[in-house]
Amino acid sequence: MKHRTFQATLLIALLNTATTAAFAIHRPTHHTPLEPHRTTMNSHTSDPDAMPDDDKYLFDLNGYILLKNVLTPEEVLAANRAIDTRTDQFHERTNPTLRNASGGIGSPMYGTGPGRKDLAGVFDWGSVDSRVYKSLLAHPRLVPYFHELLGKGYRMDHLPFVIAQDKGGDGFSLHGGTIDCQSGVYNHVLAYTYAHGTMRNQLLGCSLILSDHKEGDGGFCV
């Protein structure tokens, strides 16, 4: 299986490369970006532990941030080793109706290969195999981002899991957001807001890339 990502969701709204893990944060879709004068493209802030101003701008503009070098090569190796001992526990989505791609059969993101494979129970693998994954919930590099985007007192909402995909696997439809994609109705439960200098997400998706993803490979894209 070429592509692996660790998926977790935090409530009240990061990425990693295979060699020095990268972390990604993404908010719900359907949002009007900040006006340019409200933020600055300055990578420095007065507080060294705060989320940089340029990252705030890019998150608000694009809806996601890509953070590199969150984990060490040793931590990435340990995270992958924990998965390697459990490859027989992956559940493949063999039912065509479960393929995560809008448009159904024939759509570009439907794929022509095996279905997506999911592996759950990440936090129940014991103190050694679960250590790297649990560390992400309060990682020193990530906490400033969580505090800025979610507020202090954030919590995990969905149980995390591992996604593995082979070549030709199905894509993934972005979902959620301030406006419901199906009805067009305002969805306050998942809304992203910016007011008086404060960014708040009701839900924040976080993905840790555990294998190399080169441009054009697919497997992980935003």
Side-chain angles (χ1 to χ4, degrees):
M1 288 171 279
K2 293 202 175 223
H3 294 127
R4 288 177 174 175
T5 58
F6 170 69
Q7 185 75 28
T9 305
L10 301 178
L11 190 61
I12 314 264
L14 289 170
L15 291 179
N16 211 321
T17 63
T19 51
T20 50
F23 206 78
I25 310 174
H26 45 96
R27 60 166 166 75
T29 55
H30 299 291
H31 161 65
T32 301
L34 296 177
E35 296 176 15
H37 70 272
R38 292 186 181 175
T39 59
T40 63
M41 288 301 289
N42 179 8
S43 61
H44 303 288
T45 63
S46 58
D47 183 355
D49 295 323
M51 181 177 175
D53 288 343
D54 55 352
D55 281 354
K56 295 178 187 178
Y57 177 83
L58 292 172
F59 181 85
D60 183 84
L61 180 67
N62 299 317
Y64 69 90
I65 312 175
L66 185 62
L67 303 179
K68 298 182 179 181
N69 304 321
V70 173
L71 299 183
T72 66
E74 292 74 22
E75 289 174 319
V76 177
L77 181 63
N80 273 296
R81 187 181 294 121
I83 297 173
D84 290 337
T85 62
R86 296 171 174 82
T87 54
D88 61 326
Q89 299 177 28
F90 272 103
H91 293 280
E92 180 181 345
R93 300 190 177 199
T94 56
N95 188 329
T97 61
L98 295 179
R99 293 180 79 96
N100 262 327
S102 60
I105 298 176
S107 68
M109 297 297 287
Y110 187 81
T112 57
R116 193 182 88 181
K117 299 175 178 67
D118 301 332
L119 176 64
V122 179
F123 284 174
D124 296 321
W125 292 349
S127 59
V128 176
D129 286 354
S130 293
R131 183 187 63 81
V132 173
Y133 298 104
K134 289 182 177 180
S135 73
L136 297 172
L137 294 177
H139 195 288
R141 174 82 185 283
L142 304 178
V143 167
Y145 288 82
F146 293 156
H147 282 172
E148 183 68 38
L149 299 173
L150 297 165
K152 294 184 178 181
Y154 62 87
R155 67 176 176 84
M156 185 176 68
D157 185 64
H158 299 32
L159 286 175
F161 62 100
V162 175
I163 298 173
Q165 291 175 290
D166 295 292
K167 183 176 182 180
D170 50 300
F172 187 77
S173 299
L174 294 178
H175 54 283
T178 304
I179 304 299
D180 184 88
C181 297
Q182 300 298 322
S183 65
V185 175
Y186 176 75
N187 185 2
H188 70 281
V189 177
L190 297 179
Y192 165 79
T193 60
Y194 176 93
H196 306 293
T198 299
M199 306 170 76
R200 283 294 179 267
N201 297 264
Q202 300 301 321
L203 202 64
L204 183 70
C206 304
S207 303
L208 176 69
I209 303 176
L210 292 172
S211 62
D212 288 326
H213 290 61
K214 299 178 181 179
E215 184 176 355
D217 281 352
F220 186 89
C221 61
V222 285

